Amino acid sequence: MWKARRNAVILAHNYELPEIQDIADVLGDSLALARAAARTNADVIVFCGVHFMAETASILNPEKTVLLPDLEAGCSLADSITAEQLKSWKRDHPEAIVVAYVNTTAEVKALSDYCCTSSNAVDVVQSIPEDKEILFLPDMFLGAYVKRMTGRNNIHIWMGECHVHAGIQPQQVDAVINQHPRAELLVHPECGCSTSSMHLLAEGQLPTNRTHILSTGGMLDFTTHSTATEFIIATETGILHQMEKANPQKRFVAANPNAVCPFMKKITLQKVLDALRNMQHVIQVQDELRARAKTPIDRMIAIG
């Protein structure tokens, strides 16, 4: 009732609580949700994710009302670099192109040339002339993945991390592989095990045909279309709900069952209802900042 009354759309990230995923009009990773926010005809966007995602939706839709049901839904990765730190880094590399993972504040985006998500980071970097120096921020694991996949040595990587993904360690993945030797291994490039997984792949110590480094959206597509029946999932555990729902005949095993983001679990059904009923909490970005932050976001949406 309240959603119809407000002409609202509910966007939810793949890591949200199962009951939030189930009521979403659009469910996806950061790139899919950014695209959905850019094209919606709704007057109100209820963003079930974390603060930087709602901020991105507001940047893309200044004429719409963007609601974040819980203001405490933050992001440790976005907090790992500030605008002042980026300004200092840019002064050290004045000719560099800045590629910012979408998990950043509007202030950081406004100082960047491109945004990207895990699903199009490689494509974004490959779109930049090879002779251009690149500052990639803030995730060091995704940065290492992009550097390896593009073969570019002129990429400088910020040493930030998502504390949840960083907690998925190589030894945990090895233990689960030993327990499920025939399972497909799906690794998110933000994970602490991603760099070692790439190295082990190159060294032939992981099964080449059964190890896949994918975005969350890529993981969902892969598990749905693969003929395999067992999968080891190395990312935040919230995504398992969708996988199991879409593929009840298949088995999904978390590489680390404790890889749970407390920020992504802040939003509840009651908070969504309260947001719609009371039109809270409105996320807005000032016009001057929004204009500067929108350019790298538009580039992200257009690539990949």
Side-chain angles (χ1 to χ4, degrees):
M1 177 182 71
W2 280 104
K3 189 176 81 165
R5 184 178 297 182
R6 302 297 190 195
N7 186 28
V9 62
I10 297 174
L11 309 184
H13 192 272
N14 294 321
Y15 297 156
E16 289 291 303
L17 291 169
E19 56 267 32
I20 297 298
Q21 296 184 38
D22 289 344
I23 66 164
D25 296 301
V26 181
L27 185 60
D29 60 14
S30 298
L31 182 58
L33 295 179
R35 286 176 170 154
R39 65 174 179 263
T40 185
N41 292 319
D43 296 320
V44 176
I45 298 171
V46 181
F47 215 114
C48 299
V50 294
H51 190 275
F52 77 81
M53 297 179 183
E55 203 174 50
T56 301
S58 178
I59 290 168
L60 292 170
N61 297 276
E63 76 287 358
K64 299 182 185 301
T65 301
V66 178
L67 305 177
L68 181 64
D70 192 323
L71 288 177
E72 293 185 0
C75 176
S76 62
L77 180 56
D79 290 343
S80 69
I81 187 168
T82 66
E84 288 306 313
Q85 288 173 318
L86 178 52
K87 287 178 183 177
S88 176
W89 201 23
K90 289 177 69 172
R91 283 194 291 269
D92 294 336
H93 303 274
E95 301 301 319
I97 301 295
V98 178
V99 178
Y101 193 24
V102 73
N103 299 43
T104 46
T105 65
E107 289 80 8
V108 168
K109 289 182 176 72
L111 294 168
S112 304
D113 298 293
Y114 294 83
C115 284
C116 70
T117 69
S118 58
S119 59
N120 76 343
V122 171
D123 291 332
V124 167
V125 170
Q126 287 178 331
S127 74
I128 299 168
E130 291 186 5
D131 63 334
K132 291 291 185 180
E133 188 178 19
I134 292 174
L135 303 183
F136 190 96
L137 62 96
D139 189 81
M140 60 183 177
F141 299 113
L142 181 59
Y145 170 72
V146 170
K147 188 171 185 177
R148 188 178 186 96
M149 294 301 293
T150 61
R152 293 177 66 149
N153 293 318
N154 57 351
I155 299 179
H156 305 283
I157 301 168
W158 188 261
M159 292 293 103
E161 65 179 27
C162 161
H163 73 286
V164 176
H165 281 110
I168 303 175
Q169 297 298 314
Q171 61 270 23
Q172 295 169 327
V173 175
D174 289 343
V176 178
I177 288 175
N178 289 334
Q179 295 167 8
H180 304 273
R182 296 185 179 181
E184 300 283 312
L185 171 63
L186 277 57
V187 180
H188 193 285
E190 277 185 48
C191 292
C193 62
S194 65
T195 303
S196 62
S197 293
M198 288 185 289
H199 174 71
L200 293 173
L201 266 174
E203 296 296 317
Q205 296 182 47
L206 284 178
T208 305
N209 61 333
R210 289 192 287 109
T211 302
H212 315 274
I213 299 177
L214 300 165
S215 67
T216 52
M219 287 181 174
L220 288 164
D221 289 341
F222 185 89
T223 55
T224 297
H225 297 108
S226 173
T227 57
T229 59
E230 189 173 34
F231 304 86
I232 298 167
I233 308 299
T235 191
E236 208 272 355
T237 59
I239 201 170
L240 296 177
H241 173 66
Q242 284 185 70
M243 291 177 173
E244 292 167 348
K245 189 174 178 180
N247 306 279
Q249 76 284 10
K250 298 179 181 180
R251 183 180 184 187
F252 301 93
V253 181
N256 180 354
N258 296 317
V260 178
C261 176
F263 298 115
M264 283 287 188
K265 304 302 188 275
K266 289 283 187 182
I267 295 173
T268 63
L269 290 175
Q270 184 62 51
K271 290 175 182 178
V272 172
L273 177 59
D274 291 343
L276 285 165
R277 180 188 288 134
N278 303 320
M279 293 297 285
Q280 67 183 34
H281 305 275
V282 178
I283 303 300
Q284 291 181 313
V285 179
Q286 294 179 348
D287 288 345
E288 185 273 335
L289 179 62
R290 185 193 71 81
R292 290 190 290 120
K294 187 173 184 294
T295 297
I297 295 171
D298 285 342
R299 289 171 177 167
M300 173 189 75
I301 292 173
I303 296 172

